[in-house]
């Protein structure tokens, strides 16, 4: 089952809760990445993994926002 069909099976209330959780995780990853980049001995592989995880979360957030806030044709 892909992420799109998984989202379509959930209620708006569940999606709103997930959206907040994903946003919080995204912000936490952002802080962790910034902290690692400040260190001169930052592990590049770890940074790369965190950035990919952050991008996946961003995609999930966008999918949920699209579901909750459909485009309005003017």
């Amino acid at each position: 089952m892909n992420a799109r069909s998984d989202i379509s099976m959930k209620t708006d209330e569940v999606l709103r809760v997930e959206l907040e959780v994903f946003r919080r995780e995204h912000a936490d990853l952002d802080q962790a990445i910034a902290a690692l980049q400040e260190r001169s001995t930052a592990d590049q592989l770890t940074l790369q993994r965190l950035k990919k995880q952050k991008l996946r979360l961003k995609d999930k957030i966008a999918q949920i926002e699209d579901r909750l806030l459909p485009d309005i044709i003017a």
Side-chain angles (χ1 to χ4, degrees), residues 8-63:
S8 68
M9 300 296 286
K10 295 179 181 177
T11 65
D12 286 357
E13 185 176 335
V14 170
L15 289 173
R16 283 186 189 93
V17 171
E18 285 186 353
L19 183 60
E20 284 306 310
V21 170
F22 292 152
R23 284 180 176 162
R24 208 169 305 127
E25 287 178 20
H26 188 269
D28 290 345
L29 280 172
D30 198 36
Q31 289 177 348
I33 290 168
L36 279 174
Q37 287 176 330
E38 287 177 4
R39 295 176 31 196
S40 60
T41 59
D43 179 15
Q44 294 303 312
L45 185 59
T46 301
L47 274 172
Q48 203 171 25
R49 288 179 179 160
L50 290 175
K51 287 179 180 182
K52 284 184 181 183
Q53 186 177 356
K54 185 179 165 191
L55 283 173
R56 281 191 296 272
L57 280 172
K58 183 179 177 183
D59 289 343
K60 286 181 183 180
I61 290 168
Q63 288 175 353

